[in-house]
Short mmCIF file of all heavy atoms in Angstrom, two decimals:
data_model
loop_
_atom_site.label_atom_id
_atom_site.label_comp_id
_atom_site.label_asym_id
_atom_site.label_seq_id
_atom_site.Cartn_x
_atom_site.Cartn_y
_atom_site.Cartn_z
N MET P 30 54.02 6.83 -32.66
CA MET P 30 53.06 7.91 -32.65
C MET P 30 53.18 8.70 -33.94
O MET P 30 54.25 8.82 -34.51
CB MET P 30 53.32 8.84 -31.46
CG MET P 30 53.14 8.22 -30.10
SD MET P 30 51.42 8.04 -29.71
CE MET P 30 51.48 6.69 -28.61
N SER P 31 52.10 9.30 -34.34
CA SER P 31 52.07 10.01 -35.61
C SER P 31 52.57 11.43 -35.51
O SER P 31 53.45 11.85 -36.24
CB SER P 31 50.64 10.02 -36.15
OG SER P 31 50.19 8.73 -36.39
N GLY P 32 51.99 12.23 -34.60
CA GLY P 32 52.33 13.64 -34.51
C GLY P 32 53.28 13.93 -33.37
O GLY P 32 53.81 13.02 -32.71
N LYS P 33 53.47 15.22 -33.11
CA LYS P 33 54.34 15.65 -32.03
C LYS P 33 53.63 15.52 -30.69
O LYS P 33 52.45 15.86 -30.57
CB LYS P 33 54.72 17.11 -32.22
CG LYS P 33 55.65 17.36 -33.35
CD LYS P 33 56.04 18.82 -33.39
CE LYS P 33 57.04 19.06 -34.49
NZ LYS P 33 57.50 20.45 -34.50
N ASN P 34 54.35 15.06 -29.70
CA ASN P 34 53.80 15.05 -28.35
C ASN P 34 53.60 16.49 -27.89
O ASN P 34 54.38 17.38 -28.24
CB ASN P 34 54.74 14.32 -27.39
CG ASN P 34 54.80 12.84 -27.69
OD1 ASN P 34 53.91 12.28 -28.30
ND2 ASN P 34 55.86 12.20 -27.23
N GLN P 35 52.56 16.72 -27.10
CA GLN P 35 52.22 18.06 -26.63
C GLN P 35 52.55 18.16 -25.15
O GLN P 35 52.16 17.31 -24.36
CB GLN P 35 50.74 18.34 -26.86
CG GLN P 35 50.31 18.23 -28.32
CD GLN P 35 51.04 19.22 -29.21
OE1 GLN P 35 51.12 20.42 -28.90
NE2 GLN P 35 51.58 18.74 -30.31
N HIS P 36 53.26 19.22 -24.78
CA HIS P 36 53.67 19.44 -23.40
C HIS P 36 52.87 20.60 -22.82
O HIS P 36 52.77 21.66 -23.46
CB HIS P 36 55.15 19.75 -23.32
CG HIS P 36 56.02 18.61 -23.69
ND1 HIS P 36 56.65 17.82 -22.76
CD2 HIS P 36 56.35 18.09 -24.91
CE1 HIS P 36 57.35 16.87 -23.38
NE2 HIS P 36 57.18 17.02 -24.68
N VAL P 37 52.31 20.41 -21.62
CA VAL P 37 51.65 21.48 -20.88
C VAL P 37 52.66 21.97 -19.85
O VAL P 37 53.10 21.21 -18.98
CB VAL P 37 50.37 20.97 -20.18
CG1 VAL P 37 49.76 22.06 -19.32
CG2 VAL P 37 49.37 20.48 -21.22
N VAL P 38 53.09 23.23 -19.99
CA VAL P 38 54.16 23.76 -19.16
C VAL P 38 53.77 25.07 -18.49
O VAL P 38 52.96 25.84 -19.01
CB VAL P 38 55.45 23.97 -19.99
CG1 VAL P 38 56.00 22.64 -20.47
CG2 VAL P 38 55.19 24.87 -21.19
N SER P 39 54.35 25.32 -17.32
CA SER P 39 54.08 26.53 -16.56
C SER P 39 54.81 27.71 -17.20
O SER P 39 55.95 27.58 -17.67
CB SER P 39 54.56 26.35 -15.12
OG SER P 39 54.35 27.51 -14.37
N ARG P 40 54.15 28.86 -17.21
CA ARG P 40 54.73 30.10 -17.69
C ARG P 40 54.51 31.18 -16.64
O ARG P 40 53.72 31.03 -15.72
CB ARG P 40 54.10 30.53 -19.02
CG ARG P 40 54.43 29.60 -20.18
CD ARG P 40 55.91 29.73 -20.55
NE ARG P 40 56.26 28.89 -21.66
CZ ARG P 40 57.04 27.82 -21.58
NH1 ARG P 40 57.51 27.45 -20.41
NH2 ARG P 40 57.33 27.12 -22.63
N GLU P 41 55.18 32.29 -16.78
CA GLU P 41 55.09 33.38 -15.80
C GLU P 41 53.65 33.85 -15.60
O GLU P 41 53.24 34.15 -14.49
CB GLU P 41 55.97 34.55 -16.27
CG GLU P 41 56.17 35.61 -15.23
CD GLU P 41 57.16 36.65 -15.68
OE1 GLU P 41 58.31 36.28 -15.98
OE2 GLU P 41 56.76 37.82 -15.74
N ASN P 42 52.89 33.91 -16.68
CA ASN P 42 51.52 34.43 -16.60
C ASN P 42 50.46 33.35 -16.79
O ASN P 42 49.37 33.65 -17.25
CB ASN P 42 51.32 35.53 -17.65
CG ASN P 42 52.21 36.71 -17.40
OD1 ASN P 42 52.50 37.03 -16.26
ND2 ASN P 42 52.66 37.35 -18.46
N GLY P 43 50.76 32.10 -16.51
CA GLY P 43 49.77 31.04 -16.67
C GLY P 43 50.41 29.75 -17.15
O GLY P 43 51.46 29.35 -16.66
N TRP P 44 49.78 29.15 -18.16
CA TRP P 44 50.22 27.85 -18.67
C TRP P 44 50.25 27.89 -20.18
O TRP P 44 49.52 28.65 -20.81
CB TRP P 44 49.27 26.75 -18.19
CG TRP P 44 49.36 26.57 -16.72
CD1 TRP P 44 48.69 27.28 -15.77
CD2 TRP P 44 50.21 25.68 -16.03
NE1 TRP P 44 49.06 26.86 -14.52
CE2 TRP P 44 49.99 25.86 -14.65
CE3 TRP P 44 51.11 24.70 -16.43
CZ2 TRP P 44 50.66 25.14 -13.68
CZ3 TRP P 44 51.77 23.97 -15.47
CH2 TRP P 44 51.54 24.19 -14.11
N ALA P 45 51.08 27.04 -20.77
CA ALA P 45 51.23 27.01 -22.23
C ALA P 45 51.23 25.57 -22.73
O ALA P 45 51.55 24.63 -22.00
CB ALA P 45 52.50 27.70 -22.66
N VAL P 46 50.89 25.43 -24.00
CA VAL P 46 51.01 24.16 -24.72
C VAL P 46 52.15 24.34 -25.72
O VAL P 46 52.19 25.34 -26.43
CB VAL P 46 49.70 23.81 -25.47
CG1 VAL P 46 49.87 22.54 -26.28
CG2 VAL P 46 48.54 23.70 -24.50
N ARG P 47 53.06 23.37 -25.73
CA ARG P 47 54.19 23.44 -26.66
C ARG P 47 54.38 22.07 -27.30
O ARG P 47 54.47 21.07 -26.60
CB ARG P 47 55.46 23.85 -25.94
CG ARG P 47 56.67 23.83 -26.87
CD ARG P 47 57.91 24.25 -26.19
NE ARG P 47 57.96 25.71 -26.20
CZ ARG P 47 59.04 26.40 -25.91
NH1 ARG P 47 60.15 25.81 -25.59
NH2 ARG P 47 59.01 27.71 -25.96
N GLY P 48 54.45 22.04 -28.62
CA GLY P 48 54.74 20.82 -29.33
C GLY P 48 56.19 20.41 -29.09
O GLY P 48 57.07 21.26 -29.04
N GLU P 49 56.41 19.11 -28.96
CA GLU P 49 57.77 18.61 -28.68
C GLU P 49 58.73 19.05 -29.78
O GLU P 49 58.47 18.87 -30.96
CB GLU P 49 57.73 17.09 -28.60
CG GLU P 49 58.98 16.50 -28.02
CD GLU P 49 58.76 15.06 -27.61
OE1 GLU P 49 57.99 14.83 -26.66
OE2 GLU P 49 59.37 14.20 -28.26
N GLY P 50 59.83 19.66 -29.37
CA GLY P 50 60.86 20.10 -30.30
C GLY P 50 60.61 21.49 -30.87
O GLY P 50 61.47 22.02 -31.57
N ASN P 51 59.46 22.08 -30.60
CA ASN P 51 59.17 23.42 -31.11
C ASN P 51 59.92 24.49 -30.32
O ASN P 51 60.16 24.34 -29.13
CB ASN P 51 57.66 23.72 -31.04
CG ASN P 51 56.87 22.93 -32.05
OD1 ASN P 51 57.43 22.21 -32.88
ND2 ASN P 51 55.56 23.05 -31.98
N GLN P 52 60.24 25.59 -30.99
CA GLN P 52 60.91 26.71 -30.35
C GLN P 52 59.92 27.61 -29.62
O GLN P 52 60.26 28.26 -28.65
CB GLN P 52 61.66 27.55 -31.40
CG GLN P 52 62.79 26.80 -32.07
CD GLN P 52 63.93 26.50 -31.10
OE1 GLN P 52 64.25 27.32 -30.26
NE2 GLN P 52 64.50 25.32 -31.21
N ARG P 53 58.68 27.67 -30.14
CA ARG P 53 57.67 28.57 -29.58
C ARG P 53 56.47 27.79 -29.06
O ARG P 53 56.18 26.70 -29.52
CB ARG P 53 57.21 29.55 -30.67
CG ARG P 53 58.33 30.45 -31.14
CD ARG P 53 57.97 31.29 -32.32
NE ARG P 53 56.68 31.94 -32.16
CZ ARG P 53 56.08 32.65 -33.08
NH1 ARG P 53 56.66 32.83 -34.25
NH2 ARG P 53 54.91 33.20 -32.87
N ASP P 54 55.76 28.41 -28.10
CA ASP P 54 54.54 27.81 -27.56
C ASP P 54 53.45 27.83 -28.62
O ASP P 54 53.37 28.76 -29.42
CB ASP P 54 54.06 28.60 -26.35
CG ASP P 54 55.03 28.51 -25.18
OD1 ASP P 54 55.81 27.55 -25.12
OD2 ASP P 54 54.99 29.42 -24.33
N THR P 55 52.61 26.82 -28.60
CA THR P 55 51.48 26.74 -29.51
C THR P 55 50.35 27.64 -29.05
O THR P 55 49.72 28.32 -29.85
CB THR P 55 50.96 25.28 -29.60
OG1 THR P 55 52.04 24.45 -30.01
CG2 THR P 55 49.81 25.15 -30.57
N SER P 56 50.09 27.65 -27.72
CA SER P 56 49.02 28.48 -27.18
C SER P 56 49.30 28.77 -25.71
O SER P 56 50.05 28.06 -25.05
CB SER P 56 47.67 27.80 -27.34
OG SER P 56 47.66 26.55 -26.68
N HIS P 57 48.67 29.86 -25.20
CA HIS P 57 48.79 30.26 -23.80
C HIS P 57 47.41 30.26 -23.15
O HIS P 57 46.42 30.60 -23.79
CB HIS P 57 49.41 31.65 -23.68
CG HIS P 57 50.82 31.68 -24.15
ND1 HIS P 57 51.18 32.08 -25.42
CD2 HIS P 57 51.97 31.33 -23.54
CE1 HIS P 57 52.48 31.99 -25.56
NE2 HIS P 57 52.99 31.53 -24.43
N HIS P 58 47.38 29.90 -21.84
CA HIS P 58 46.11 29.77 -21.12
C HIS P 58 46.25 30.28 -19.70
O HIS P 58 47.33 30.23 -19.13
CB HIS P 58 45.67 28.29 -21.12
CG HIS P 58 45.62 27.72 -22.49
ND1 HIS P 58 44.52 27.81 -23.30
CD2 HIS P 58 46.58 27.08 -23.22
CE1 HIS P 58 44.79 27.24 -24.47
NE2 HIS P 58 46.03 26.79 -24.44
N ARG P 59 45.12 30.73 -19.14
CA ARG P 59 45.14 31.23 -17.76
C ARG P 59 45.32 30.12 -16.75
O ARG P 59 45.97 30.30 -15.73
CB ARG P 59 43.86 32.00 -17.44
CG ARG P 59 43.74 33.33 -18.16
CD ARG P 59 42.53 34.14 -17.74
NE ARG P 59 41.29 33.37 -17.80
CZ ARG P 59 40.53 33.10 -16.73
NH1 ARG P 59 40.86 33.52 -15.55
NH2 ARG P 59 39.42 32.39 -16.87
N THR P 60 44.73 28.95 -17.01
CA THR P 60 44.80 27.85 -16.05
C THR P 60 45.42 26.61 -16.69
O THR P 60 45.42 26.45 -17.91
CB THR P 60 43.39 27.47 -15.53
OG1 THR P 60 42.63 26.92 -16.60
CG2 THR P 60 42.67 28.68 -14.94
N GLN P 61 45.90 25.72 -15.83
CA GLN P 61 46.47 24.47 -16.31
C GLN P 61 45.39 23.61 -16.95
O GLN P 61 45.64 22.94 -17.96
CB GLN P 61 47.14 23.73 -15.16
CG GLN P 61 47.93 22.51 -15.62
CD GLN P 61 48.62 21.79 -14.50
OE1 GLN P 61 48.12 21.76 -13.37
NE2 GLN P 61 49.77 21.23 -14.76
N ALA P 62 44.18 23.64 -16.40
CA ALA P 62 43.09 22.83 -16.96
C ALA P 62 42.76 23.25 -18.39
O ALA P 62 42.52 22.40 -19.25
CB ALA P 62 41.85 22.95 -16.08
N GLU P 63 42.75 24.56 -18.65
CA GLU P 63 42.50 25.05 -20.02
C GLU P 63 43.61 24.58 -20.97
O GLU P 63 43.34 24.16 -22.10
CB GLU P 63 42.42 26.57 -20.04
CG GLU P 63 41.21 27.14 -19.36
CD GLU P 63 41.25 28.65 -19.23
OE1 GLU P 63 42.26 29.28 -19.65
OE2 GLU P 63 40.29 29.22 -18.70
N ALA P 64 44.85 24.64 -20.50
CA ALA P 64 45.97 24.20 -21.33
C ALA P 64 45.90 22.69 -21.59
O ALA P 64 46.19 22.24 -22.70
CB ALA P 64 47.29 24.56 -20.64
N GLU P 65 45.49 21.93 -20.58
CA GLU P 65 45.35 20.48 -20.75
C GLU P 65 44.30 20.15 -21.81
O GLU P 65 44.50 19.26 -22.64
CB GLU P 65 44.96 19.82 -19.43
CG GLU P 65 46.07 19.76 -18.42
CD GLU P 65 45.62 19.16 -17.11
OE1 GLU P 65 44.69 18.33 -17.09
OE2 GLU P 65 46.22 19.52 -16.08
N ARG P 66 43.17 20.86 -21.80
CA ARG P 66 42.12 20.61 -22.79
C ARG P 66 42.62 20.92 -24.20
O ARG P 66 42.38 20.15 -25.14
CB ARG P 66 40.87 21.44 -22.49
CG ARG P 66 40.02 20.84 -21.39
CD ARG P 66 38.67 21.51 -21.29
NE ARG P 66 38.76 22.91 -20.88
CZ ARG P 66 38.80 23.31 -19.60
NH1 ARG P 66 38.76 22.43 -18.62
NH2 ARG P 66 38.88 24.59 -19.31
N ALA P 67 43.33 22.04 -24.35
CA ALA P 67 43.87 22.41 -25.67
C ALA P 67 44.88 21.37 -26.15
O ALA P 67 44.87 20.95 -27.31
CB ALA P 67 44.50 23.79 -25.60
N ALA P 68 45.77 20.93 -25.25
CA ALA P 68 46.77 19.92 -25.61
C ALA P 68 46.11 18.61 -25.98
O ALA P 68 46.54 17.94 -26.93
CB ALA P 68 47.74 19.73 -24.45
N ARG P 69 45.06 18.23 -25.24
CA ARG P 69 44.36 16.97 -25.53
C ARG P 69 43.72 17.03 -26.92
O ARG P 69 43.78 16.06 -27.68
CB ARG P 69 43.29 16.71 -24.47
CG ARG P 69 42.58 15.38 -24.67
CD ARG P 69 41.51 15.13 -23.63
NE ARG P 69 40.49 16.16 -23.71
CZ ARG P 69 40.06 16.90 -22.67
NH1 ARG P 69 40.56 16.71 -21.47
NH2 ARG P 69 39.14 17.81 -22.83
N ASP P 70 43.13 18.16 -27.28
CA ASP P 70 42.52 18.30 -28.61
C ASP P 70 43.57 18.14 -29.72
O ASP P 70 43.34 17.44 -30.71
CB ASP P 70 41.84 19.66 -28.76
CG ASP P 70 40.58 19.78 -27.91
OD1 ASP P 70 40.06 18.74 -27.44
OD2 ASP P 70 40.12 20.91 -27.70
N ILE P 71 44.73 18.76 -29.54
CA ILE P 71 45.80 18.66 -30.54
C ILE P 71 46.30 17.21 -30.61
O ILE P 71 46.46 16.65 -31.69
CB ILE P 71 46.96 19.61 -30.18
CG1 ILE P 71 46.50 21.06 -30.30
CG2 ILE P 71 48.16 19.35 -31.10
CD1 ILE P 71 47.49 22.06 -29.70
N ALA P 72 46.53 16.60 -29.44
CA ALA P 72 47.06 15.23 -29.41
C ALA P 72 46.06 14.23 -30.00
O ALA P 72 46.47 13.28 -30.67
CB ALA P 72 47.40 14.83 -27.98
N THR P 73 44.77 14.47 -29.79
CA THR P 73 43.76 13.59 -30.37
C THR P 73 43.82 13.65 -31.89
O THR P 73 43.79 12.64 -32.58
CB THR P 73 42.36 13.97 -29.87
OG1 THR P 73 42.33 13.84 -28.45
CG2 THR P 73 41.30 13.07 -30.47
N ASN P 74 43.93 14.87 -32.43
CA ASN P 74 44.01 15.04 -33.89
C ASN P 74 45.28 14.44 -34.46
O ASN P 74 45.28 13.89 -35.56
CB ASN P 74 43.93 16.52 -34.26
CG ASN P 74 42.55 17.08 -34.07
OD1 ASN P 74 41.56 16.37 -34.11
ND2 ASN P 74 42.47 18.38 -33.84
N GLN P 75 46.38 14.54 -33.72
CA GLN P 75 47.67 14.08 -34.22
C GLN P 75 48.01 12.65 -33.79
O GLN P 75 49.07 12.13 -34.14
CB GLN P 75 48.79 15.02 -33.75
CG GLN P 75 48.69 16.39 -34.34
CD GLN P 75 49.89 17.24 -33.98
OE1 GLN P 75 50.80 16.82 -33.26
NE2 GLN P 75 49.91 18.46 -34.48
N LYS P 76 47.14 12.04 -32.98
CA LYS P 76 47.39 10.70 -32.44
C LYS P 76 48.74 10.64 -31.75
O LYS P 76 49.62 9.85 -32.08
CB LYS P 76 47.30 9.64 -33.55
CG LYS P 76 45.91 9.53 -34.15
CD LYS P 76 45.84 8.41 -35.13
CE LYS P 76 44.51 8.19 -35.80
NZ LYS P 76 43.42 9.01 -35.53
N SER P 77 48.90 11.53 -30.74
CA SER P 77 50.15 11.61 -30.00
C SER P 77 49.87 11.63 -28.50
O SER P 77 48.78 11.27 -28.08
CB SER P 77 50.93 12.87 -30.44
OG SER P 77 50.18 14.03 -30.18
N GLU P 78 50.84 12.05 -27.72
CA GLU P 78 50.71 12.05 -26.26
C GLU P 78 50.68 13.46 -25.70
O GLU P 78 51.21 14.40 -26.31
CB GLU P 78 51.90 11.33 -25.61
CG GLU P 78 51.86 9.84 -25.75
CD GLU P 78 52.89 9.19 -24.87
OE1 GLU P 78 52.73 9.21 -23.64
OE2 GLU P 78 53.86 8.66 -25.44
N VAL P 79 50.08 13.60 -24.51
CA VAL P 79 50.12 14.84 -23.74
C VAL P 79 50.96 14.58 -22.51
O VAL P 79 50.71 13.62 -21.78
CB VAL P 79 48.70 15.31 -23.33
CG1 VAL P 79 48.78 16.50 -22.40
CG2 VAL P 79 47.86 15.62 -24.55
N LEU P 80 51.95 15.43 -22.28
CA LEU P 80 52.78 15.33 -21.08
C LEU P 80 52.52 16.57 -20.25
O LEU P 80 52.76 17.70 -20.71
CB LEU P 80 54.26 15.23 -21.45
CG LEU P 80 54.62 13.92 -22.15
CD1 LEU P 80 54.48 14.04 -23.65
CD2 LEU P 80 56.00 13.50 -21.79
N ILE P 81 52.00 16.38 -19.04
CA ILE P 81 51.63 17.50 -18.18
C ILE P 81 52.74 17.70 -17.15
O ILE P 81 53.05 16.79 -16.38
CB ILE P 81 50.28 17.23 -17.50
CG1 ILE P 81 49.22 17.01 -18.57
CG2 ILE P 81 49.92 18.38 -16.58
CD1 ILE P 81 47.92 16.45 -18.04
N HIS P 82 53.32 18.90 -17.16
CA HIS P 82 54.39 19.24 -16.23
C HIS P 82 53.81 19.99 -15.05
O HIS P 82 52.88 20.78 -15.21
CB HIS P 82 55.43 20.14 -16.93
CG HIS P 82 56.11 19.47 -18.08
ND1 HIS P 82 57.40 19.01 -18.02
CD2 HIS P 82 55.68 19.19 -19.34
CE1 HIS P 82 57.75 18.49 -19.18
NE2 HIS P 82 56.71 18.56 -20.01
N GLY P 83 54.38 19.79 -13.88
CA GLY P 83 54.00 20.55 -12.69
C GLY P 83 54.69 21.92 -12.72
O GLY P 83 55.47 22.23 -13.62
N GLU P 84 54.40 22.73 -11.72
CA GLU P 84 55.02 24.05 -11.64
C GLU P 84 56.55 23.96 -11.52
O GLU P 84 57.26 24.88 -11.90
CB GLU P 84 54.44 24.85 -10.48
CG GLU P 84 53.02 25.29 -10.73
CD GLU P 84 52.46 26.15 -9.61
OE1 GLU P 84 53.12 26.28 -8.55
OE2 GLU P 84 51.37 26.70 -9.80
N ASN P 85 57.04 22.84 -11.01
CA ASN P 85 58.48 22.64 -10.87
C ASN P 85 59.14 22.18 -12.17
O ASN P 85 60.36 21.99 -12.23
CB ASN P 85 58.78 21.64 -9.75
CG ASN P 85 58.22 20.25 -10.03
OD1 ASN P 85 57.62 20.00 -11.09
ND2 ASN P 85 58.40 19.36 -9.08
N GLY P 86 58.35 21.97 -13.22
CA GLY P 86 58.88 21.57 -14.51
C GLY P 86 58.97 20.06 -14.74
O GLY P 86 59.21 19.63 -15.86
N ARG P 87 58.77 19.27 -13.70
CA ARG P 87 58.85 17.82 -13.84
C ARG P 87 57.54 17.26 -14.37
O ARG P 87 56.45 17.75 -14.03
CB ARG P 87 59.16 17.18 -12.51
CG ARG P 87 60.54 17.60 -11.99
CD ARG P 87 60.88 16.93 -10.72
NE ARG P 87 61.06 15.51 -10.99
CZ ARG P 87 61.38 14.63 -10.07
NH1 ARG P 87 61.58 15.01 -8.83
NH2 ARG P 87 61.52 13.36 -10.38
N ILE P 88 57.63 16.22 -15.19
CA ILE P 88 56.44 15.58 -15.74
C ILE P 88 55.69 14.89 -14.60
O ILE P 88 56.28 14.11 -13.86
CB ILE P 88 56.81 14.56 -16.83
CG1 ILE P 88 57.44 15.28 -18.02
CG2 ILE P 88 55.57 13.77 -17.28
CD1 ILE P 88 58.03 14.35 -19.05
N ARG P 89 54.40 15.20 -14.46
CA ARG P 89 53.62 14.58 -13.40
C ARG P 89 52.55 13.65 -13.93
O ARG P 89 51.98 12.86 -13.19
CB ARG P 89 53.00 15.63 -12.49
CG ARG P 89 51.96 16.51 -13.13
CD ARG P 89 51.30 17.40 -12.07
NE ARG P 89 50.27 18.23 -12.64
CZ ARG P 89 49.03 17.85 -12.87
NH1 ARG P 89 48.66 16.62 -12.58
NH2 ARG P 89 48.16 18.67 -13.39
N GLU P 90 52.27 13.74 -15.23
CA GLU P 90 51.24 12.88 -15.83
C GLU P 90 51.45 12.84 -17.33
O GLU P 90 51.92 13.79 -17.93
CB GLU P 90 49.87 13.48 -15.52
CG GLU P 90 48.69 12.67 -15.96
CD GLU P 90 47.37 13.34 -15.57
OE1 GLU P 90 47.35 14.18 -14.67
OE2 GLU P 90 46.36 12.98 -16.20
N ARG P 91 51.09 11.69 -17.93
CA ARG P 91 51.13 11.60 -19.40
C ARG P 91 49.96 10.74 -19.86
O ARG P 91 49.61 9.76 -19.21
CB ARG P 91 52.47 11.08 -19.90
CG ARG P 91 52.79 9.66 -19.58
CD ARG P 91 54.21 9.27 -19.91
NE ARG P 91 54.54 9.49 -21.30
CZ ARG P 91 55.77 9.64 -21.74
NH1 ARG P 91 56.80 9.60 -20.93
NH2 ARG P 91 56.01 9.84 -23.01
N ASN P 92 49.37 11.16 -20.97
CA ASN P 92 48.22 10.46 -21.53
C ASN P 92 48.43 10.29 -23.03
O ASN P 92 48.87 11.20 -23.71
CB ASN P 92 46.93 11.25 -21.30
CG ASN P 92 46.61 11.40 -19.83
OD1 ASN P 92 46.50 10.40 -19.13
ND2 ASN P 92 46.50 12.63 -19.37
N SER P 93 48.08 9.12 -23.52
CA SER P 93 48.24 8.80 -24.94
C SER P 93 46.89 8.90 -25.64
O SER P 93 45.88 8.42 -25.12
CB SER P 93 48.80 7.39 -25.07
OG SER P 93 48.91 7.05 -26.43
N TYR P 94 46.90 9.51 -26.81
CA TYR P 94 45.67 9.65 -27.61
C TYR P 94 45.89 9.11 -29.02
O TYR P 94 45.52 9.72 -29.99
CB TYR P 94 45.25 11.13 -27.66
CG TYR P 94 44.88 11.65 -26.31
CD1 TYR P 94 45.83 12.29 -25.52
CD2 TYR P 94 43.62 11.46 -25.79
CE1 TYR P 94 45.51 12.74 -24.25
CE2 TYR P 94 43.29 11.91 -24.53
CZ TYR P 94 44.24 12.55 -23.77
OH TYR P 94 43.92 12.99 -22.53
N GLY P 95 46.54 7.97 -29.10
CA GLY P 95 46.83 7.46 -30.43
C GLY P 95 47.06 5.98 -30.46
O GLY P 95 46.38 5.22 -29.81
N ASN P 96 48.07 5.57 -31.13
CA ASN P 96 48.35 4.19 -31.47
C ASN P 96 48.68 3.32 -30.27
O ASN P 96 49.78 2.78 -30.16
CB ASN P 96 49.50 4.14 -32.48
CG ASN P 96 49.18 4.95 -33.70
OD1 ASN P 96 48.10 4.89 -34.21
ND2 ASN P 96 50.16 5.74 -34.17
N ASP P 97 47.77 3.17 -29.36
CA ASP P 97 47.98 2.31 -28.20
C ASP P 97 47.84 0.86 -28.63
O ASP P 97 46.89 0.49 -29.30
CB ASP P 97 46.95 2.59 -27.11
CG ASP P 97 47.12 3.94 -26.47
OD1 ASP P 97 48.25 4.45 -26.48
OD2 ASP P 97 46.13 4.49 -25.98
N PRO P 98 48.78 0.02 -28.21
CA PRO P 98 48.66 -1.40 -28.53
C PRO P 98 47.52 -2.03 -27.72
O PRO P 98 47.31 -1.68 -26.56
CB PRO P 98 50.00 -1.99 -28.13
CG PRO P 98 50.54 -1.04 -27.12
CD PRO P 98 49.99 0.32 -27.47
N PHE P 99 46.76 -2.90 -28.35
CA PHE P 99 45.71 -3.61 -27.63
C PHE P 99 45.82 -5.07 -27.97
O PHE P 99 45.78 -5.42 -29.15
CB PHE P 99 44.31 -3.10 -27.99
CG PHE P 99 43.27 -3.73 -27.12
CD1 PHE P 99 43.02 -3.24 -25.86
CD2 PHE P 99 42.56 -4.82 -27.57
CE1 PHE P 99 42.06 -3.83 -25.05
CE2 PHE P 99 41.60 -5.43 -26.78
CZ PHE P 99 41.36 -4.92 -25.52
N PRO P 100 45.97 -5.95 -27.07
CA PRO P 100 46.08 -5.66 -25.64
C PRO P 100 47.43 -5.04 -25.31
O PRO P 100 48.39 -5.20 -26.06
CB PRO P 100 45.94 -7.03 -24.98
CG PRO P 100 46.37 -7.99 -26.04
CD PRO P 100 46.03 -7.36 -27.36
N PRO P 101 47.50 -4.30 -24.18
CA PRO P 101 48.76 -3.66 -23.80
C PRO P 101 49.86 -4.67 -23.57
O PRO P 101 49.60 -5.79 -23.12
CB PRO P 101 48.43 -2.93 -22.50
CG PRO P 101 46.97 -3.05 -22.30
CD PRO P 101 46.43 -4.06 -23.26
N LYS P 102 51.09 -4.28 -23.86
CA LYS P 102 52.23 -5.16 -23.61
C LYS P 102 52.48 -5.24 -22.11
O LYS P 102 52.32 -4.27 -21.40
CB LYS P 102 53.47 -4.61 -24.30
CG LYS P 102 53.37 -4.62 -25.80
CD LYS P 102 54.61 -4.05 -26.43
CE LYS P 102 54.46 -3.95 -27.93
NZ LYS P 102 55.61 -3.32 -28.55
N GLY P 103 52.97 -6.39 -21.65
CA GLY P 103 53.38 -6.56 -20.27
C GLY P 103 52.28 -6.83 -19.40
O GLY P 103 51.92 -6.88 -18.40
#
């Protein structure tokens, strides 16, 4: 992958997007759906992945917006 993977994570007052390895959040949003859209836009530009975390902090979904092999392996 080219850029940093983007994580959608729960915060006290809503949801945030954070680049993998970053110390600070990239953006804050009222809803998880808004945060997912923002993360998808960043990941599309950077050809990276979006990892969506549930309220419990565990990854519940991941989507790739970049260098996917075609045909897929396996």
Side-chain angles (χ1 to χ4, degrees):
M30 296 284 153
S31 298
K33 290 184 177 183
N34 292 339
Q35 301 299 311
H36 293 259
V37 175
V38 294
S39 178
R40 292 290 182 249
E41 191 174 301
N42 297 327
W44 293 85
V46 177
R47 176 179 277 194
E49 193 164 293
N51 288 356
Q52 296 292 321
R53 296 172 47 184
D54 295 336
T55 303
S56 59
H57 294 97
H58 306 273
R59 290 185 309 117
T60 67
Q61 188 179 32
E63 291 172 358
E65 287 177 29
R66 280 191 295 273
R69 184 181 61 232
D70 290 344
I71 294 168
T73 300
N74 288 335
Q75 294 186 359
K76 296 185 180 2
S77 61
E78 286 191 70
V79 173
L80 292 90
I81 302 168
H82 297 254
E84 289 183 352
N85 63 2
R87 296 183 67 179
I88 296 171
R89 66 173 182 83
E90 185 179 339
R91 68 189 303 157
N92 297 303
S93 178
Y94 296 93
N96 303 316
D97 292 333
F99 187 82
K102 294 179 185 176

